[in-house]
Amino acid sequence: MNIGVLGGGQLARMMAQAGSSLGLNFMFLCPDSDACAAPYGEHLCAPYEDKHAQEHLAKWADVVTYEFENIPLSLVELLQQQIPLHPASSVLSLARDRLPEKLLFRTLGIPTAKFAPVDSLEMLINTLEDIALPAILKTRTQGYDGKGQALLRKESDLSAIWGEIGKVPCIVESMVEFRRELSIIAARNQKGDMVFYPVSENHHRDGILRLSISRQDDPMQVRAEAKIRSIMDNLSYVGVMTLELFQVGDQLFANELAPRVHNSGHWTIEAAETSQFENHLRAICGFPLGRTSSKQTTAMVNLIGSLPVEAEIRNIPDTSLHFYGKLKRPGRKVGHVTLTQSDGSPDEFNQRLAALLQLAGEAELSSKTFLNPTPLTQCS
Ligand code: AMP
């Protein structure tokens, strides 16, 4: 079976790596000449708008998917008229705009930060009668890895920040005092079958994900599953979806959804029975979904901007290295390392994780303890 992928970055690369054991072939439409997925299939190196490339992809592929949200919606709509494409263009259109996305959460009764749309400086100033400072201003589209957002601290900053953000349609959100940031990843096929991965606890710095931990029996699992289930069923979703959440007390607030495989799910390659990448392919191809359970606590550490010395990582037991083959640039995700708990004690896991975080340049995170001997209390 032939899979067309819009985008050719590391998510497309890991998808194709997973697809080889399913006997799938890949073609990537990606304008970057150094697309890191290219070694795993045919690379159509052309702008997304290129008619010839679009036609070639549509003729070759049995099914098309995408690896990120910032691709032209018109291309996804066009391809969808010609061949099966998942997740559907209606989902992409919703997920790439923070306003309809938040309105969907509201419709489904899923709590969120207080939010309001803002299209002008005047609207922004008026909104703050309802949403207290400090608050966050986010562009409705094109935001990722902390880009396209700004912290609003005091009224005198508003005009400058509105200019800096580009005077584009935005939403303002209240600051959420969260205990933890979590994400849940699930896969759904056309029959409506669903599987859920254990939730990941996520740690960011400068708006970029640095560390994800998936523990055994996270107390928020049942609540997180209920939320993503209602969203996926509502959208008749096909593929893998990720829902980013804030834990506030024992409540979960939805932050945003991603209609795709996600950085916080990279640990599933080593630790889950079926990886998020394989299950995405299974869902879009109409194959039975694979089991998602994981028997061990796992941590995933992103390598950002540079790669540590390989031998030093390998000296830490039970690590798996993933280098994406991308040119190193500040702030760019160039690889990740997965660390599994195996049979060791929580202390032993914490020590190995601290060593790995040090190598990845995460000094502050490396001083924290992530695995406690006593598990967190369950919430149902
Ligand atoms: P986002 O692009 O919406 O995923 O935001 C990037 C990061 O900013 C999140 O992972 C949080 O760490 C932080 N953040 C976003 N929105 C809020 C909020 N309303 N309250 C507190 N922190 C937030």
Side-chain angles (χ1 to χ4, degrees):
M1 210 167 163
N2 293 341
I3 314 294
V5 184
L6 305 177
Q10 67 266 21
L11 299 181
R13 177 183 168 109
M14 287 184 269
M15 207 185 285
Q17 287 169 340
S20 70
S21 62
L22 295 171
L24 303 174
N25 310 305
F26 288 83
M27 185 179 282
F28 311 100
L29 173 53
C30 176
D32 304 331
S33 58
D34 60 350
C36 72
Y40 295 89
E42 191 177 331
H43 179 200
L44 293 176
C45 184
Y48 291 115
E49 295 75 16
D50 186 298
K51 290 278 166 254
H52 181 69
Q54 291 173 3
E55 278 165 23
H56 187 59
L57 185 80
K59 221 180 257 171
W60 179 86
D62 297 303
V63 55
V64 169
T65 189
Y66 43 88
E67 64 146 11
F68 71 133
E69 290 90 317
N70 292 331
I71 39 172
L73 182 61
S74 55
L75 168 60
V76 174
E77 286 168 344
L78 182 93
L79 287 171
Q80 189 175 262
Q81 288 164 16
Q82 301 168 38
I83 38 170
L85 183 148
H86 305 291
S89 63
S90 53
V91 171
L92 179 65
S93 129
L94 179 116
R96 55 196 269 134
D97 186 337
R98 291 183 192 272
L99 183 60
E101 183 181 75
K102 283 272 192 318
L103 291 171
L104 174 69
F105 297 148
R106 184 183 278 171
T107 306
L108 296 173
I110 301 174
T112 63
K114 218 169 175 187
F115 67 92
V118 161
D119 294 332
S120 65
L121 179 59
E122 195 189 355
M123 268 176 101
L124 177 58
I125 293 165
N126 291 339
T127 300
L128 296 178
E129 285 172 15
D130 205 31
I131 296 176
L133 291 176
I136 304 185
L137 183 67
K138 299 179 178 179
T139 58
R140 280 176 50 180
T141 60
Q142 303 283 327
Y144 67 98
D145 284 348
K147 295 188 177 70
Q149 51 181 277
L151 184 60
L152 306 174
R153 290 176 209 276
K154 42 188 194 330
E155 280 207 55
S156 54
D157 294 343
L158 296 185
S159 172
I161 290 178
W162 178 246
E164 278 163 28
I165 208 119
K167 301 182 183 176
V168 292
C170 283
I171 60 167
V172 180
E173 273 182 37
S174 60
M175 286 292 284
V176 176
E177 300 281 324
F178 53 79
R179 233 160 82 182
R180 297 193 295 159
E181 278 195 78
L182 303 174
S183 55
I184 181 151
I185 298 176
R188 185 180 185 280
N189 65 16
Q190 261 160 336
K191 287 193 286 177
D193 301 330
M194 286 186 73
V195 288
F196 305 91
Y197 286 94
V199 299
S200 302
E201 175 186 300
N202 303 323
H203 297 265
H204 298 80
R205 184 167 59 78
D206 300 335
I208 304 178
L209 181 70
R210 307 285 161 160
L211 165 69
S212 286
I213 299 194
S214 162
R215 297 188 183 81
Q216 293 299 292
D217 303 321
D218 193 288
M220 288 294 130
Q221 184 70 31
V222 174
R223 292 180 183 193
E225 283 184 16
K227 291 185 169 43
I228 198 167
R229 177 191 288 283
S230 72
I231 297 167
M232 290 174 102
D233 281 342
N234 180 274
L235 298 173
S236 300
Y237 191 89
V238 176
V240 156
M241 174 188 278
T242 308
L243 178 63
E244 295 180 20
L245 299 154
F246 297 134
Q247 182 183 345
V248 183
D250 285 340
Q251 255 205 320
L252 289 177
F253 284 30
N255 178 32
E256 63 176 350
L257 66 83
R260 56 172 168 80
V261 289
H262 195 260
N263 194 172
S264 65
H266 290 357
W267 63 266
T268 62
I269 297 174
E270 281 83 18
E273 282 185 77
T274 313
S275 76
Q276 60 164 349
F277 300 99
E278 181 173 335
N279 259 337
H280 181 66
L281 294 167
R282 286 179 168 276
I284 66 170
C285 293
F287 303 158
L289 299 176
R291 280 197 285 263
T292 50
S293 60
S294 145
K295 291 191 190 64
Q296 50 201 342
T297 293
T298 313
M300 187 282 320
V301 174
N302 269 334
L303 303 175
I304 294 166
S306 64
L307 294 173
V309 178
E310 274 180 54
E312 291 187 13
I313 302 178
R314 289 207 183 92
N315 276 340
I316 304 173
D318 295 318
T319 46
S320 303
L321 281 64
H322 298 256
F323 295 160
Y324 304 150
K326 286 162 68 172
L327 289 176
K328 298 167 200 77
R329 237 193 272 136
R332 193 176 205 203
K333 292 174 184 166
V334 290
H336 75 266
V337 181
T338 310
L339 181 82
T340 46
Q341 187 182 14
S342 314
D343 298 327
S345 66
D347 271 354
E348 183 268 347
F349 179 82
N350 286 326
Q351 279 165 19
R352 284 189 293 125
L353 180 54
L356 177 57
L357 286 163
Q358 278 286 352
L359 290 178
E362 297 300 331
E364 202 182 321
L365 279 175
S366 75
S367 63
K368 295 190 175 159
T369 300
F370 292 100
L371 209 55
N372 292 316
T374 40
L376 302 168
T377 325
Q378 285 295 319
C379 297
S380 53

